[in-house]
Amino acid sequence: MKRNGKSVFFIVAILLVAFTVVTFMGISTQWGDTKTVYIKGADDIRWGIDIRGGVDVTFAPPADTEGITNEQMDAAEAIIKQRLISQNITDSDVYTDYNKHKVIVRFPWPADETDFDAQAAIASLGETAQLTFREGKEVDSSTGLPTGTTESNIILTGSDVVSAKAGYQQTDSNKTPEYVVSLELTSEGATKFSEATGRLAGTGSISIWMDDTMISAPTVNTQITDGKAIISGSFTAESATELANKINGGALPFKLETTSYSTISPTLGTQARDAMVVAGIIAFALVCVFMIALYRLPGAVACIALMGQIALSVAAVSGFFAPFPSFTLTLPGIAGIILGIGMGVDANILTATRIREELDNGKSLDGAITTGYKRGFTAVFDGNITVILIAVVLMGAFGPPDSIFATILKPIFFMFGSATEGTIYSFGYTLIVGIIGNFIMGVTASRVMLRSLSKFKCFRNPKLYGGAK
């Protein structure tokens, strides 16, 4: 048991070093002009407009389209926002000009863009959105795509929908109005919908998909025969409007065309970004020297843990974790990573100081380590949980409308506009990832490694932990 305890340090340290190397380098193979990426690295990060620049594009219906309504323009905007969100592009701006029937979009270059071809970047958004109503809500957990019956059984398409409107109705149970989305179908769509709802009434659900993203999955309560359906649930006025816009977007009588586009110069630039990276490396080295000089062995362990925390932050934005695509990293996002690292340094300093105090009070080495982490964790937890709450509020108030934080908090913070949502959301995201990494690396991993090292006879001297001889 004692021998196994000693090996823990080497296992954890090797895993952290390997994770860091793979996170920054990635794993890929090159065969001729074809590159196959197995694990994404730092090069796969999608940098924000402020760092790498991007594209400014205007979408509009064909010139000969008549009778365009504001509701249809809202639906067109919803299409583009859905496409951006599905690609995890948060540093974007989408505006609608109702007078000229145009949608103006600003978004950053893709991570793998080398030719900076604006037309190729625009093509990633697509020209039209495909709306489908499918039986059930079976989703592949790894890809998010429909599977099983949901994949094979399409009940309705966008051409079967006449319109979708957000509204509210009186409920029979408590007489309190609730927000709903009402659907009106074509005669052919009403026939197909009647058959499906009759078959699934009381036992199943019909999911609604925009392209390959499920946007809703209401349960079928009764058979609907007249082509007029009501989608109810825990809607707010805003979420009901968003769902209606998305459904209308898939049923638009026109397709969106690119009328103009231009490239956007970065306000910061990749050279400044590279300089920030070099400065970060130097700062990390200086912090390590300070930690080791002042706190000795706990400081050395803290440096290994901080390295793992930095790697975890990079992995969370590069697309290292397969279910999550590359995240758009902006300048405020980098600030969030730095602040998270600062919280990690603070956590290790608190713990190392507690261990030294316990040794000075006459406790044994093992008792000082155990008590030091236990007492230090209280202060670390309080400080970190407060920052997490702030990050959640930022992500909810300024995040994309379909994100989990925005869904929960948007009704509370509805007064915030969307002009800064990309940059603020990026800051909140990297900050919360950094704090989570602090709990994993700065609290858990460092404790495991230090306890393992303390089992070696050569590391039993209290002076190595900052205590008296």
Side-chain angles (χ1 to χ4, degrees), residues 86-124:
S86 66
Q87 297 180 40
N88 220 18
I89 302 174
T90 56
D91 182 27
S92 62
D93 296 318
V94 183
Y95 305 96
T96 300
D97 185 340
Y98 296 100
N99 295 324
K100 297 181 179 180
H101 300 145
K102 294 180 179 180
V103 181
I104 300 94
V105 186
R106 293 160 52 93
F107 63 96
W109 293 110
D112 57 353
E113 179 65 48
T114 56
D115 298 328
F116 297 99
D117 185 345
Q119 287 183 311
I122 293 168
S124 65

Side-chain angles (χ1 to χ4, degrees), residues 146-166:
T147 185
T149 303
T150 304
E151 179 185 17
S152 60
N153 195 351
I154 298 177
I155 299 170
L156 301 175
T157 62
S159 60
D160 296 314
V161 179
V162 176
S163 66
K165 295 181 180 180

Side-chain angles (χ1 to χ4, degrees), residues 85-283:
I85 293 170
S86 66
Q87 297 180 40
N88 220 18
I89 302 174
T90 56
D91 182 27
S92 62
D93 296 318
V94 183
Y95 305 96
T96 300
D97 185 340
Y98 296 100
N99 295 324
K100 297 181 179 180
H101 300 145
K102 294 180 179 180
V103 181
I104 300 94
V105 186
R106 293 160 52 93
F107 63 96
W109 293 110
D112 57 353
E113 179 65 48
T114 56
D115 298 328
F116 297 99
D117 185 345
Q119 287 183 311
I122 293 168
S124 65
L125 293 180
E127 295 183 347
T128 59
Q130 183 181 12
L131 175 73
T132 55
F133 288 65
R134 299 172 179 266
E135 180 178 339
K137 50 183 178 181
E138 298 179 50
V139 180
D140 189 298
S141 58
S142 60
T143 64
L145 300 175
T147 185
T149 303
T150 304
E151 179 185 17
S152 60
N153 195 351
I154 298 177
I155 299 170
L156 301 175
T157 62
S159 60
D160 296 314
V161 179
V162 176
S163 66
K165 295 181 180 180
Y168 61 91
Q169 67 177 8
Q170 201 81 14
T171 60
D172 296 332
S173 57
N174 54 18
K175 305 297 182 182
T176 301
E178 65 173 356
Y179 290 98
V180 297
V181 176
S182 59
L183 296 177
E184 182 180 351
L185 307 177
T186 64
S187 57
E188 182 179 353
T191 301
K192 293 187 287 187
F193 203 61
S194 174
E195 185 278 328
T197 53
R199 177 164 46 83
L200 299 173
T203 60
S205 60
I206 295 178
S207 55
I208 306 172
W209 295 74
M210 184 71 73
D211 294 328
D212 293 324
T213 302
M214 186 169 65
I215 59 177
S216 184
T219 301
V220 180
N221 296 323
T222 59
Q223 182 178 15
I224 299 172
T225 59
D226 59 358
K228 296 181 179 180
I230 298 293
I231 302 175
S232 60
S234 301
F235 286 118
T236 62
E238 186 176 27
S239 61
T241 301
E242 288 174 358
L243 179 58
N245 286 342
K246 291 175 182 177
I247 295 175
N248 287 327
L252 280 176
F254 54 80
K255 69 176 182 178
L256 294 172
E257 296 180 346
T258 303
T259 59
S260 64
Y261 60 86
S262 61
T263 59
I264 304 172
S265 299
T267 57
L268 180 64
T270 54
Q271 289 184 342
R273 178 203 64 189
D274 295 341
M276 291 173 63
V277 171
V278 173
I281 294 173
I282 295 174

Side-chain angles (χ1 to χ4, degrees), residues 290-303:
F290 170 80
M291 293 285 290
I292 294 173
L294 195 60
Y295 297 102
R296 300 163 195 176
L297 194 59
V301 170
C303 294

Side-chain angles (χ1 to χ4, degrees), residues 57-70:
V57 57
T58 300
F59 293 101
D64 57 352
T65 306
E66 298 180 355
I68 300 174
T69 64
N70 289 348

